[in-house]
Amino acid sequence: MSTSERLIESTRELLWERGYVGTSPKAILERSGAGQGSMYHHFRGKQDLALAAIRRTAEELRTTAEHVLSGPGTPYERIEAYLLRERDVLRGCPVGRLTMDPDVTASDELRAPVDETIARIRQLIAGIVEEGKREGQFTESLDGEEIGAAVLATLQGGYVLARASGSPADFDAGVRGLLSLLAPPTPTPTPTPTPTKEN
């Protein structure tokens, strides 16, 4: 792995663990094993390196979401697969983590990949909901954009609950709760008429 790659990957890890404010150039150099001055040889500074790291993390998250949400199954099953996919719940979301950093939210440049990723995933889910409505799997009253927001809010809120309690159980409970609300209604079986005895 080249020095610039080691710097980007180390910055991605540190941003996830410590956030932007807690990720110092010294910590990046120590984690990457790069020599003094390497950061400024390959990047203009911490913000430039952080931007490269954030873009890569956001692209990776987007690609994963697109892969799962465009996979096989009914619209409900694809949303279910996305909500239930394997995650390191107690570490939180590497993109959602950045929204808690005042330096990231104050910078249009650093915030842009985060905004784009959240918007893209919300758009994908909204499209799946509308597809499900056309196929009669979801009720007409559901709004795709609102469900997209609800899915993302459940995930991000689930990370917070899990980290607060130190257990993934709260994350899982939130996901199961949302899925139970979205589940297509089970058709009521038509009762079989009781045969009458002829006199």
Side-chain angles (χ1 to χ4, degrees):
M1 191 183 290
S2 67
T3 301
S4 62
E5 281 295 304
R6 294 205 315 272
L7 286 166
I8 291 171
E9 288 302 313
S10 297
T11 303
R12 289 179 66 194
E13 292 171 11
L14 288 165
L15 287 171
W16 196 356
E17 292 168 15
R18 308 180 186 182
Y20 183 83
V21 175
T23 299
S24 65
K26 181 181 178 183
I28 294 169
L29 292 175
E30 286 176 356
R31 179 70 63 94
S32 65
Q36 194 75 25
S38 296
M39 179 190 298
Y40 298 98
H41 175 72
H42 294 282
F43 303 94
R44 293 192 301 273
K46 174 184 168 179
Q47 180 164 327
D48 190 38
L49 173 54
L51 179 59
I54 291 169
R55 281 176 174 161
R56 183 171 296 179
T57 296
E59 182 181 355
E60 191 176 273
L61 197 68
R62 259 193 327 271
T63 300
T64 299
E66 287 169 353
H67 176 73
V68 175
L69 291 168
S70 64
T74 65
Y76 175 82
E77 287 168 345
R78 279 145 54 203
I79 293 173
E80 180 184 43
Y82 176 66
L83 284 166
L84 295 178
R85 79 172 182 82
E86 188 175 345
R87 292 175 170 86
D88 192 347
V89 173
L90 294 180
R91 284 190 78 187
C93 174
V95 169
R97 170 78 176 81
L98 296 167
T99 63
M100 295 182 282
D101 261 300
D103 285 14
V104 172
T105 55
S107 165
D108 291 342
E109 192 175 30
L110 292 176
R111 196 179 66 250
V114 176
D115 289 344
E116 289 162 9
T117 297
I118 291 170
R120 175 60 179 153
I121 295 172
R122 183 175 176 176
Q123 178 188 50
L124 286 168
I125 295 167
I128 292 172
V129 171
E130 295 304 322
E131 178 188 336
K133 286 164 63 176
R134 289 193 298 273
E135 295 176 3
Q137 294 179 12
F138 292 133
T139 62
E140 282 298 318
S141 61
L142 289 185
D143 181 281
E145 285 290 328
E146 291 177 357
I147 297 302
V151 168
L152 290 170
T154 298
L155 290 176
Q156 296 305 321
Y159 285 124
V160 172
L161 292 175
R163 286 168 67 89
S165 67
S167 168
D170 288 328
F171 179 94
D172 296 339
V175 165
R176 287 196 306 272
L178 179 59
L179 286 172
S180 68
L181 294 173
L182 289 176
T186 306
T188 306
T190 306
T192 306
T194 307
T196 56
K197 290 182 179 180
E198 293 185 6
N199 294 331

